Amino acid sequence: MLETLDAAAVRRWCAVGLAALRRHQGEIDDLNVYPVPDGDTGTNLVLTLTSAQHALGMDLDTSPEGGATPHGHALRLVARGALLGARGNSGVILAQILRGLADALVATPVVRGRALAGALRGASAAARGAVAQPVEGTLLTVVAAAAAGATEAASDDLRVVARAAAGAASRALARTPEQLPALARAGVVDAGGRGLCLLLDALVEVVTGEAPARPAPERRPVRPPASAARETGSDAYAYEVQFLLDAEPAAVARMRATLDALGDSLVVVGDDPPPGEPGTWNVHVHVNDVGAAVEAGVEAGRPYRISVTRFADQPTPTPPPAPDGAARAAVVVAPGAGIAAVFAREGAAVVPANPSIGELLDAVRGTGAARVVVLPNDAATASVAGEVVRQAHPFGVKVSVVPTRSPVQALAALAVRDPSRSFEDDVIAMAEAAGACRYAEVCHARREALTVAGPCRPGDVLALVEGEVHLIGGDLLDTCTALLDRMLGGGGELVTLLTGADAPAGLVDAVRAHVTRRWPFVEVQAYAGGQPHYPLLVGVE
């Protein structure tokens, strides 16, 4: 149990909240009937929070600047990551809620109950202010209720306030069909509000050590069409337009007015730069004139990562055929196009990095096999894969997870597959091969930090062995060769090298030449992996 919300608790909250959203992603997608019934709110919330967790994971700074507390710095990272990765209406509003929390707590020395209540009030106000035409019965209503419940608790006990906020949000969620006719007609609660309730329950779990026992909302009886007023404005627009925008606040205000006249579901959230300086904004709107919406962004500043979705073009999923009881398959998560091609040549079905439960389950079922092994290749996806094991069972598919933490371990596991063995024995052999492969990655430090290998500065080259920083260098090639010497000093017969998207030309050839010269009896295999952030991934078997 926690008495204060520290940086470690913020990181756990993000991880537990993301896991909860992934578990309930399909459920939330099914609830999605407002603003349009496009069935993607759960997916959008997962993608938004995945971006937030990625921002946390990429930051190694232990000494925040600008007067931010460690927990405030962590919340800023979460908010910034969510802003850049926000998807859809609910994702953009969630990013603004996280920003409101970060702004309120960034300089608060100790976060107890009253500070959390004040932060929730600020988050609610920030979210409502970002929406051009706020509608009750939505995520905005649920976050407002959470703030009110936290305030009414009138306590400085963090656990009491967190429970009060989550409970009030849950009760408000149950009332959303009474406030929004579209929800009443479908007999469901608001999808975005359901996602927020899961995040608040995750906060309670982190703070108290106990997960609230709260069942999923049940569908209500559907109102007959004659007794429900038509929800105006939502289905009048055919396109969803979303983009990131670098612009000054004054220009954004003018753009907001233009977009408000063009369509509905307008949400604009940003990082609130100093007056006169450009900031980054996430813009979401439903329109009929896509060109005019984009042009409004161009007039305001620099729009990028522009996405346009035509609601009528959303495909109707076709259920996969019944699994073949005699067939087996492998599904592998790949962080880059190059390594994805290597996995495909090994006969595996490939899923892009950071998959949702639904995406991974679709890949498993898409193999058509009744026995499937999943290789997640990172710790976060391992939890998703664990849920897929349960989700696949009702479809007659047995899924086993080999807990790989790197693509090089997945290559080692795939190399020992043998269809002549029983599925269970094959999984054991793959797990043993993966476990016998030591893995490492090389990247560049983004901030000053104190690591187990000593202090690092921005631009330093970091060599991590199985997740722990072992070497800090100034030159990429020198650090890579020193890393191989250290790993091979403990033994090894095969080295696998995966070069990243930003690896300089000649890096892998130079590393291979060093290994051949220094360790002449070691075999080297190299592939263009194409993974981001890591110029080189290394496996030693």
Side-chain angles (χ1 to χ4, degrees):
M1 293 189 294
L2 300 178
E3 295 183 358
T4 64
L5 191 70
D6 56 17
V10 171
R11 292 176 180 272
R12 290 199 302 276
W13 178 34
C14 189
V16 173
L18 178 57
L21 287 176
R22 281 174 165 159
R23 286 196 304 273
H24 295 271
Q25 179 177 340
E27 170 206 325
I28 299 174
D29 282 343
D30 289 343
L31 294 174
N32 184 198
V33 298
Y34 180 85
V36 290
D38 46 4
D40 62 356
T41 295
T43 301
N44 288 337
L45 291 175
V46 166
L47 291 172
T48 300
L49 203 60
T50 296
S51 179
Q53 189 182 52
H54 182 68
L56 274 175
M58 290 300 295
D59 186 85
L60 299 175
D61 188 7
T62 56
S63 302
E65 298 177 357
T69 60
H71 57 263
H73 176 66
L75 284 168
R76 274 182 171 173
L77 291 173
V78 169
R80 177 71 175 175
L83 169 68
L84 296 179
R87 306 287 187 94
N89 193 55
S90 292
V92 174
I93 295 175
L94 175 61
Q96 189 72 346
I97 291 171
L98 294 171
R99 177 199 157 193
L101 290 172
D103 288 348
L105 299 175
V106 66
T108 304
V110 179
V111 179
R112 293 195 174 93
R114 288 189 172 85
L116 177 60
L120 287 170
R121 291 195 299 272
S124 176
R128 189 168 290 268
V131 178
Q133 298 177 359
V135 175
E136 295 305 325
T138 64
L139 176 54
L140 298 176
T141 303
V142 177
V143 70
T151 302
E152 291 168 3
S155 172
D156 210 29
D157 188 319
L158 182 65
R159 295 159 294 188
V160 170
V161 172
R163 286 192 179 107
S170 180
R171 293 188 293 274
L173 177 68
R175 294 192 298 270
T176 55
E178 302 168 11
Q179 300 168 297
L180 196 56
L183 301 178
R185 289 198 298 272
V188 299
V189 296
D190 180 66
R194 171 60 172 154
L196 181 66
C197 285
L198 290 171
L199 292 181
L200 291 172
D201 283 345
L203 178 61
V204 172
E205 181 178 349
V206 169
V207 169
T208 67
E210 299 176 356
R214 229 185 296 275
E218 295 183 358
R219 283 184 176 264
R220 297 185 175 196
V222 179
R223 288 183 188 175
S227 65
R230 180 178 178 273
E231 186 64 35
T232 60
S234 296
D235 56 1
Y237 299 99
Y239 298 92
E240 177 189 61
V241 179
Q242 190 163 358
F243 53 84
L244 292 178
L245 176 70
D246 290 341
E248 296 184 0
V252 172
R254 293 191 295 271
M255 178 200 67
R256 184 194 293 264
T258 301
L259 293 179
D260 193 27
L262 286 174
D264 70 354
S265 294
L266 174 61
V267 186
V268 180
V269 301
D271 50 11
D272 197 18
E277 294 185 12
T280 301
W281 311 80
N282 195 312
V283 182
H284 173 281
V285 66
H286 292 176
V287 295
N288 287 325
D289 191 340
V290 174
V294 175
E295 182 62 28
V298 172
E299 291 177 0
R302 184 178 74 89
Y304 55 103
R305 276 174 47 181
I306 300 170
S307 67
V308 178
T309 301
R310 183 173 181 264
F311 296 122
D313 290 341
Q314 297 305 294
T316 301
T318 302
D324 182 349
R328 64 175 68 171
V331 173
V332 190
V333 177
I339 188 57
V342 175
F343 287 144
R345 288 197 296 270
E346 293 291 329
V350 181
V351 180
N354 295 321
S356 67
I357 292 173
E359 290 168 335
L360 197 55
L361 179 61
D362 287 345
V364 167
R365 297 185 65 198
T367 66
R371 300 289 183 270
V372 180
V373 61
V374 174
L375 307 171
N377 294 337
D378 68 67
T381 306
S383 63
V384 176
E387 181 62 25
V388 169
V389 173
R390 292 183 285 274
Q391 297 287 341
H393 181 72
F395 298 105
V397 182
K398 179 178 182 180
V399 176
S400 293
V401 179
V402 173
T404 51
R405 294 294 185 266
S406 171
V408 293
Q409 289 188 315
L411 286 173
L414 290 172
V416 301
R417 279 198 302 169
D418 184 351
S420 67
R421 289 191 291 242
S422 70
F423 177 71
E424 291 73 16
D425 288 344
D426 211 26
V427 170
I428 292 171
M430 294 174 72
E432 290 175 344
C437 177
R438 288 169 289 148
Y439 67 93
E441 52 251 334
V442 179
C443 64
H444 289 90
R446 296 177 61 245
R447 300 177 183 272
E448 292 184 2
L450 182 62
T451 75
V452 294
C456 69
R457 296 172 297 179
D460 282 348
V461 182
L462 307 181
L464 297 85
V465 178
E466 304 197 348
E468 199 74 63
V469 178
H470 276 226
L471 295 170
I472 301 174
D475 180 81
L476 178 61
L477 176 58
D478 289 346
T479 306
C480 290
T481 55
L483 170 66
L484 265 298
D485 288 342
R486 176 166 294 195
M487 295 182 74
L488 289 171
E493 300 174 352
L494 173 64
V495 168
T496 301
L497 305 175
L498 297 178
T499 54
D502 56 352
L507 175 65
V508 71
D509 291 336
V511 173
R512 184 200 296 269
H514 172 83
V515 174
T516 301
R517 182 175 60 254
R518 183 73 183 272
W519 308 92
F521 299 106
V522 174
E523 180 184 353
V524 179
Q525 295 179 341
Y527 306 95
Q531 70 274 0
H533 312 305
Y534 297 99
L536 190 68
L537 299 180
V538 178
V540 173
E541 301 173 58

